[in-house]
């Protein structure tokens, strides 16, 4: 696997590779400079970036991006580009809050976890609709994905206005944090890793489990074959359509975890004005898994990077000494995504991704 | 030249064969969206609170009656047309339609070149802001100058700024192979934040609670002539939009640049064979697309707001639906924009009298795109009305070139 990556990096465009390394070196030099001269701006920024609270926030903010990215990997590896991840995040974020508020506890399960499950279910159903549209009705995957996004972008604020009279929902509280005894006492790592929102732990399960399923199970093998060579998979007696259905549905489940992780895990409310509280995280997730070369762990790394930038800009806004206007700082994650996309360019896309496959077709 | 003629011939046959089919598809998608939208309205009404239910079926009662919502949606958009053809509602409809013509054209021209420009929104924001700054700066420098100079200046600067902003994702696509869907969406966010920063820091109107520029000089305002001064609709802007429709139709259909654009959208291989510079076409068509959106932004400033204000309405996203509904044909953009203008204007009347929120249009916007994307669905419904040869969805001009004409 790493050999393939290395080869593609070596054969890639020299200029782009140089730029990427140059950028990495620049960041490294800045970090080193900050380490040696802690009194300077670079030192200040480094201290800020590596502080416990920034790292903790980065992990929390990474939840929607990482979960949606792992979901996106499954769909795209199976041959269906799911550009509607943003819509799945929006619909699950809203449904999670709405059901928590409206239903209450069921079978003595706390209402917020009922909402959690409902949010994941909503995203799963929407992804199932996407699957039917793409597989049964042979829709263009990009257009259908955009439709999923725009439907959710319209539906969530619509429903919020019907129920709450405003595009924002009522506040229902968050899932809080789970503190793991003993481990949370560890210096530095403890408060960041073991005193976190349950959604952060869930993200680790999603990333690790996603990697395992994709690389070590027969379902993962079928998913990869369905994207690379559906005909061979068909010949081997595996139903390509079924594999694709399962993979897209799985992407809905995982993106749903990310969406509720955002609304119930962090904010406790759904905010629906403008681009809603999801604010492009679904699209950032796509870049995260491209950057991570379709590896769940690589995608997780990229998600933490983007979320880290987000956390850093949130911290920078609180420090008046920097005098950088908040709205400009807020563009940092988006511009980074563009730069990353330009540097990474087209990575190794599964060869049958985006194509319709029909068993027995000529 | 024979290779070129062959390609051109193939293109012409392709377009002729699918024209009626695309119209049928758009209409079918519209009907299906209205039906599903009606169901959503009904079921959302069961969760809403109201004094007495407006509609009930099978024991389920809803606060909203979908049929009357749709009736009101259409009648509300036209107002009392017979007694007063220049009424306020009609002006509102035409105002929305005019703005959507520009963003619809913006999305359409990119689609025709095989590019998904989801960034019309951001290009519109940048164009509108640049336009406002230009007329605000030029106004005091040229005292007493009429709209004959300021309006073209504002529109021109808007087109230029939008075009440059659109060229960025084009260049990233052409020279760095960065997917334009993602980059344009990211640039939407960047545009909104940059506009917020620029307006709040350098161009803020004194004594204003919201983030907005000062009012533009009177000479730069696109006056509303027929519909009364408060209507914010200028017949000049509509005429300009229609002229652009004709211009783009001519450009795409009858010029060598349009030929390059269409072939690189439909059959990139054939385009290269015919000597088209693919990279230059990508950048220039994205710039052209951005310029249309930028003009839309300028018109929004000069005709509707009279200033630039942050929190620009989602005209760019509506433009995606308009273009897709129009089959990415410039001529089709006019009826599609009118229809969408009716929806947007009518939804205000609907919210006022039934309580169904205006966000309903956002739901319909997504549903329409979804249904247009799945022509196969309608083929299964009624193969009698449509020809049976397989063709990709209407908006995939550039998406799957191998299927569009290669099969015997």
């Amino acid at each position: 696997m790493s050999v393939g990556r290395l080869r593609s990096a070596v054969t890639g465009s020299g200029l782009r590779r140089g730029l990427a390394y140059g950028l990495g070196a620049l960041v490294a030099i800045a970090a080193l400079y900050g380490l040696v001269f802690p009194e300077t701006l670079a030192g200040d920024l480094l201290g800020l970036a590596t502080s416990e609270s920034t790292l903790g926030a980065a992990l929390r903010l990474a939840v929607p991006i990482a979960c949606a990215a792992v979901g996106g990997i499954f769909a795209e590896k199976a041959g269906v580009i799911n550009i509607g991840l943003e819509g799945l995040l929006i619909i699950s974020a809203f449904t999670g809050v709405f059901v928590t508020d409206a239903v209450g506890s069921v079978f003595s399960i706390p209402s917020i976890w009922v909402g959690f499950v409902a949010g994941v279910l909503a995203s799963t159903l929407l992804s199932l609709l996407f699957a039917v549209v793409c597989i049964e009705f042979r829709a263009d995957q990009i257009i259908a994905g955009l439709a999923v996004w725009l439907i959710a972008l319209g539906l969530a604020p619509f429903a919020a206005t019907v129920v709450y009279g405003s595009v924002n929902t009522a506040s229902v509280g968050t899932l809080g944090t789970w503190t793991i005894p003993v481990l949370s006492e560890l210096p530095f790592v403890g408060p960041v890793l073991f005193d976190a929102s349950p959604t952060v732990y869930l993200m680790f399960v999603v990333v690790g489990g996603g990697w395992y399923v994709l690389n070590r199970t027969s379902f993962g093998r079928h998913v990869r074959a369905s994207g690379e060579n559906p005909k061979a998979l068909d010949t081997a007696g595996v139903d390509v359509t079924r594999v694709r259905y399962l993979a897209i549905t799985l992407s809905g489940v995982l993106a749903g975890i990310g969406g509720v992780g955002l609304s119930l895990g962090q904010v406790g409310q759904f905010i629906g004005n403008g681009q809603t509280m999801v604010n492009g995280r679904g699209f950032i997730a796509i870049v995260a898994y491209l950057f991570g070369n379709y590896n769940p762990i690589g995608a997780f790394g990229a998600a933490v990077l983007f979320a880290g930038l987000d956390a850093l800009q949130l911290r920078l806004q609180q420090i008046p000494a920097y005098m950088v206007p908040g709205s400009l700082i807020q563009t940092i994650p988006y511009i980074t995504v563009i730069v990353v996309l330009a540097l990474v360019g087209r990575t190794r896309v599964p060869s049958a991704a985006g194509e319709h496959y029909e068993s027995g077709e000529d | 030249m024979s290779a070129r003629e062959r390609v051109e011939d193939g293109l012409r046959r392709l377009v002729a064969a699918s024209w009626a089919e695309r119209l049928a598809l758009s209409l079918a998608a519209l009907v299906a969206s209205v039906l599903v939208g009606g169901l959503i309205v009904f079921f959302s009404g069961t969760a809403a609170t109201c004094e007495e239910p407006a509609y009930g079926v099978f024991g389920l009662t809803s606060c909203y009656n979908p049929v009357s919502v749709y009736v009101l949606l259409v009648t509300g958009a036209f107002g009392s047309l017979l007694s007063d053809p220049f009424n306020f509602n009609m002006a509102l409809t035409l105002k929305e339609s005019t703005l959507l013509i520009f963003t619809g054209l913006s999305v359409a021209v990119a689609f025709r070149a095989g590019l998904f420009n989801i960034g019309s929104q951001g290009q519109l924001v940048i164009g509108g802001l640049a336009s406002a700054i230009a007329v605000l700066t030029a106004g005091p420098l040229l005292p007493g100058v009429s709209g004959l100079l300021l309006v073209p200046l504002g529109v021109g600067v808007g087109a230029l700024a939008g075009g440059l902003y659109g060229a960025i994702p084009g260049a990233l696509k052409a020279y760095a192979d960065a997917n334009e869907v993602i980059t344009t969406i990211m640039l939407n966010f960047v545009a909104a934040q940059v506009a917020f920063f620029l307006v709040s820091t350098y161009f803020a109107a004194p004594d204003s609670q919201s983030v907005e520029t000062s009012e533009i000089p009177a000479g730069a305002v696109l006056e509303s002539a027929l519909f009364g001064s408060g209507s914010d609709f200028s017949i000049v802007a509509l005429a300009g939009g229609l002229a652009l429709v004709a211009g783009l139709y001519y450009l795409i259909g009858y010029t060598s640049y349009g030929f390059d654009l269409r072939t690189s959208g439909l059959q990139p291989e054939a385009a290269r064979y015919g000597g088209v510079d693919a990279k230059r076409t990508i950048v220039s068509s994205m710039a052209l697309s951005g310029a249309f959106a930028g003009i839309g932004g300028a018109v929004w400033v000069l005709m509707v707001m009279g200033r630039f204000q942050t929190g620009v309405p989602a005209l760019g996203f509506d433009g995606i639906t308009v273009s897709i509904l129009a089959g990415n044909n410039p001529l089709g953009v006019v009826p599609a924009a009118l229809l969408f203008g009716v929806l947007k204007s009518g939804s205000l009347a609907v919210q006022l009298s039934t309580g169904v929120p205006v966000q309903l249009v956002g739901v319909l916007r997504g549903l329409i795109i979804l249904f247009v994307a799945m022509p196969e669905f309608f083929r299964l419904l009624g193969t009698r009305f449509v020809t049976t040869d397989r063709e990709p969805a209407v908006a995939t001009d550039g998406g799957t070139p191998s299927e569009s004409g290669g099969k015997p």
Side-chain angles (χ1 to χ4, degrees), chain A residues 124-338:
Chain A
T124 310
L125 288 177
L126 189 58
S127 69
L128 204 59
L129 171 75
F130 174 71
V132 170
V133 167
C134 285
I135 296 172
E136 300 300 323
F137 300 123
R138 309 175 47 135
D140 181 276
Q141 292 174 4
I142 302 284
I143 305 278
L146 289 176
V148 165
W149 165 45
L150 288 174
I151 286 174
L153 189 62
L155 202 54
F158 173 78
T161 315
V162 166
V163 181
Y164 299 96
S166 126
V167 289
N168 305 337
T169 66
S171 207
V172 295
T174 65
L175 292 162
T177 56
W178 285 358
T179 310
I180 296 177
V182 186
L183 284 176
S184 61
E185 311 279 308
L186 288 171
F188 192 69
V189 197
V192 173
L193 283 181
F194 301 109
D195 185 17
S197 162
T199 57
V200 171
Y201 303 122
L202 208 52
M203 168 177 68
F204 287 123
V205 173
V206 165
V207 170
W211 181 86
Y212 181 82
V213 170
L214 199 60
N215 294 304
R216 292 284 182 274
T217 64
S218 62
F219 172 67
R221 222 168 37 243
H222 294 163
V223 165
R224 282 179 287 144
S226 154
E228 293 291 347
N229 194 344
K231 201 152 223 163
L233 190 65
D234 198 14
T235 314
V238 180
D239 188 350
V240 174
T241 303
R242 193 170 153 270
V243 170
R244 287 190 172 177
Y245 263 116
L246 282 173
I248 298 174
T249 314
L250 188 59
S251 81
V253 173
L254 298 182
I257 293 174
V260 253
L262 179 68
S263 65
L264 291 178
Q266 294 168 33
V267 187
Q269 187 194 10
F270 177 79
I271 299 159
N273 42 9
Q275 292 293 296
T276 77
M277 69 194 302
V278 176
N279 229 356
R281 287 184 172 85
F283 298 108
I284 293 177
I286 295 173
V287 178
Y289 73 69
L290 286 177
F291 195 32
N293 206 18
Y294 297 94
N295 182 336
I297 295 170
F300 169 71
V304 172
L305 172 78
F306 291 135
L309 286 168
D310 209 12
L312 193 61
Q313 64 95 354
L314 285 174
R315 286 300 303 278
L316 280 177
Q317 281 187 60
Q318 291 161 2
I319 302 169
Y322 283 107
M323 291 301 288
V324 190
S327 45
L328 276 196
I329 299 181
Q330 279 174 40
T331 62
I332 293 174
Y334 302 119
I335 290 176
T336 312
V337 163
I338 296 172

Side-chain angles (χ1 to χ4, degrees), chain A residues 137 139-140 275 279 325 327 330, chain B residues 189 193 197 317 359 373 376 396:
Chain A
F137 300 123
D140 181 276
Q275 292 293 296
N279 229 356
S327 45
Q330 279 174 40
Chain B
F189 291 105
Q193 298 291 357
F197 163 69
F317 296 132
Q359 281 84 2
E376 205 69 8
T396 60

Side-chain angles (χ1 to χ4, degrees), chain B residues 101-167:
Chain B
I101 285 178
F102 298 108
T103 51
L105 286 180
S106 164
V107 179
V109 69
F111 266 133
R112 287 303 279 270
L115 299 160
F116 294 94
N117 182 11
I118 316 300
S120 294
Q121 183 69 24
Q123 292 142 18
L124 179 136
V125 167
I126 295 294
L129 176 62
S131 165
I133 293 172
V135 293
L136 277 170
T137 320
L141 295 178
L142 315 160
V145 180
S146 70
L148 283 176
L149 203 65
L150 279 181
V151 170
L153 175 80
V155 172
V157 169
L160 191 69
L164 286 174
Y165 202 64

Side-chain angles (χ1 to χ4, degrees), chain B residues 68-329:
Chain B
S68 55
V69 163
Y70 279 123
V71 170
L72 202 61
L73 195 63
V74 176
T75 54
F78 294 106
S80 43
L81 197 59
L82 291 177
S83 56
D84 176 19
F86 302 114
N87 65 61
F88 179 76
N89 299 47
M90 195 62 211
L92 194 63
T93 306
L94 288 173
K95 178 187 89 180
E96 295 288 352
S97 303
T98 305
L99 293 168
L100 290 172
I101 285 178
F102 298 108
T103 51
L105 286 180
S106 164
V107 179
V109 69
F111 266 133
R112 287 303 279 270
L115 299 160
F116 294 94
N117 182 11
I118 316 300
S120 294
Q121 183 69 24
Q123 292 142 18
L124 179 136
V125 167
I126 295 294
L129 176 62
S131 165
I133 293 172
V135 293
L136 277 170
T137 320
L141 295 178
L142 315 160
V145 180
S146 70
L148 283 176
L149 203 65
L150 279 181
V151 170
L153 175 80
V155 172
V157 169
L160 191 69
L164 286 174
Y165 202 64
I168 298 173
L172 287 170
K173 165 91 175 178
Y175 299 103
D177 213 4
N179 185 310
E180 79 280 9
V181 176
I182 311 279
T183 53
T184 51
I185 289 170
M186 291 297 123
L187 286 169
N188 286 342
F189 291 105
V190 174
Q193 298 291 357
V194 167
F196 188 94
F197 163 69
L198 287 177
V199 173
S200 57
T201 319
Y202 299 111
F203 303 103
D207 324 314
S208 171
Q209 296 300 313
S210 38
V211 182
E212 57 187 14
T213 64
S214 307
E215 262 184 62
I216 58 173
V221 174
L222 278 163
E223 291 293 348
S224 20
L226 286 174
F227 287 86
S229 53
S231 65
D232 293 337
F233 166 67
S234 156
I235 200 92
V236 178
L238 178 61
L242 293 176
L244 282 182
V245 167
L248 185 62
Y249 180 75
Y250 177 78
L251 181 81
I252 288 182
Y254 300 98
T255 64
S256 68
Y257 175 73
F259 172 80
D260 291 357
L261 191 126
R262 276 178 297 145
T263 37
S264 53
L266 279 172
Q267 310 202 317
E269 293 302 319
R272 254 192 301 280
Y273 185 53
V276 175
D277 185 340
K279 291 187 196 298
R280 255 203 7 228
T281 310
I282 290 174
V283 178
S284 64
S285 52
M286 281 301 282
L288 187 61
S289 172
F292 280 121
I295 295 175
V299 171
W300 181 68
V301 166
L302 304 181
M303 180 179 87
V304 181
M305 301 302 291
R307 54 160 47 115
F308 182 86
Q309 197 176 53
T310 53
V312 180
L315 294 162
F317 296 132
D318 296 334
I320 301 172
T321 307
V322 166
S323 172
I324 283 185
L325 208 50
N328 306 321
N329 182 331

